[in-house]
Amino acid sequence: MTIAFVFPGQGAQTIGMGKALAEAYPAAKAIFDEVDDALGESLSQLIWEGDIETLTLTQNAQPALMATSMASMRALEAEGVTIGKASFVAGHSLGEYSALASAGSISVADTARLLRTRGLAMQSAVPVGEGAMAAILGLDLEAVRAVAEEAAQGEVCQAANDNDPTQVVVSGTKAAVERAAVIAKEKGAKRAVMLPVSAPFHCALMQPAADVMAEALAGVDIKSPAVPLIANVRADAVTNPDEIRALLVEQVTGSVRWRESVQVMAANGVTEFWEIGAGKALSGMIRKIDRALVCRQVGAPEDAKAAAET
């Protein structure tokens, strides 16, 4: 059995996530304390007792999901499972930061601050209402790329997330994405769903945010991860800190190549994926990519205990 640890992105957030971990494991509680200190505010109170609308704001959701993932990692460690159990780490969009923190590449405090900066920068890159994203269901990547190109008509429309063989997300200006949704259905898509997001992530419109992240990442110490990272924009293993820094900048405007990333890990012997943190979205995608792959969710004390017994 060869294992990869994978880390969720935005959309997985829920009120109360990680609270049971913090109550059961002092090391998990210390993660939330460290993130609160790094941000100079009680993000943990928002996560556990706040309202979902505020938690879902990009600048809150990103560090909150990372904190929950890292609390899950500390719970695993308390049960005797270290990062060395994994052959690879990977994360979906912001989850890539959680993956790097889990592998000791970036400190938890620096990761929290980077994700707060990233969330604010991504939100402010495009005025609210000018951008959009849509999930195209039932067409493969090449078909969706053709749809996006036809829909652009001089505006921005790109394949942003290649999630699994049945789902590719497009991102860009609102009018272009709406055209893409119509064209996709004409070309045989089962559904085209406009997503309830506040900005058009992972497309060229995010360049102002990429510039902000280039500056922010330049001032952060990045070490070689303890296990290789499968990077979103390359769908390939990376361990060099300078490459990681550059790929995190490129990731802001680049596509999340999740389907290919999972295939690369499977081709390198991974048979089991542990989804570390909130939700089960990645496990659902992974099963659609390859039904032979085993998925395990680690987001609660009982999950950590069960994982330690494998």
Side-chain angles (χ1 to χ4, degrees), residues 3-7 73 82-92 95-105 224-232 236-239 244 258 261 265 270 273-274 276:
I3 296 168
F5 289 175
V6 295
F7 298 82
M73 280 297 304
T82 67
I83 189 67
K85 181 88 169 179
S87 295
F88 300 98
V89 292
H92 194 284
E96 190 156 272
Y97 285 79
S98 306
L100 288 164
S102 77
S105 183
S224 294
V227 298
L229 170 79
I230 302 298
N232 279 191
D236 198 5
V238 59
T239 57
I244 288 169
W258 187 252
S261 294
M265 288 183 273
V270 173
F273 289 78
W274 292 14
I276 312 292

Side-chain angles (χ1 to χ4, degrees), residues 278-293:
K280 299 179 180 179
L282 297 184
S283 296
M285 294 176 195
I286 290 165
R287 290 189 183 100
K288 289 176 181 175
I289 294 165
D290 186 342
R291 293 207 172 272
L293 299 173

Side-chain angles (χ1 to χ4, degrees), residues 208-230:
D211 295 339
V212 170
M213 291 313 296
E215 184 175 349
L217 285 157
V220 169
D221 181 36
I222 299 179
K223 299 180 173 67
S224 294
V227 298
L229 170 79
I230 302 298

Side-chain angles (χ1 to χ4, degrees), residues 24-189:
Y25 298 97
K29 173 65 163 59
I31 287 290
F32 288 103
D33 292 342
E34 185 174 359
V35 170
D36 286 351
D37 289 344
L39 298 180
E41 63 182 69
S42 184
L43 184 66
S44 59
Q45 185 174 3
L46 171 61
I47 298 169
W48 298 335
E49 302 169 10
D51 63 273
I52 190 63
E53 291 80 11
T54 306
L55 180 60
T56 298
L57 291 173
T58 305
Q59 66 263 30
N60 293 327
Q62 294 200 25
L65 285 161
M66 182 277 297
T68 304
S69 287
M70 286 305 300
S72 300
M73 280 297 304
R74 294 294 181 263
L76 281 174
E77 290 164 4
E79 297 292 345
V81 179
T82 67
I83 189 67
K85 181 88 169 179
S87 295
F88 300 98
V89 292
H92 194 284
S93 191
L94 83 89
E96 190 156 272
Y97 285 79
S98 306
L100 288 164
S102 77
S105 183
I106 309 176
S107 74
V108 170
D110 280 343
T111 306
R113 287 187 287 264
L114 285 168
L115 286 173
R116 169 56 57 82
T117 298
R118 185 177 183 269
L120 288 168
M122 292 172 83
Q123 184 60 66
S124 63
V126 180
V128 174
E130 290 189 11
M133 300 180 77
I136 310 300
L137 308 180
L139 294 180
D140 64 17
L141 177 61
E142 290 309 313
V144 173
R145 281 177 172 161
V147 166
E149 186 176 350
E150 183 178 339
Q153 297 179 20
E155 297 183 303
V156 173
C157 189
Q158 294 172 232
N161 300 346
D162 179 17
N163 286 333
D164 64 49
T166 69
Q167 183 192 123
V168 181
V169 175
V170 295
S171 181
T173 55
K174 187 170 184 286
V177 171
E178 288 172 342
R179 286 193 294 271
V182 173
I183 294 167
K185 284 185 276 190
E186 291 172 350
K187 292 188 179 295

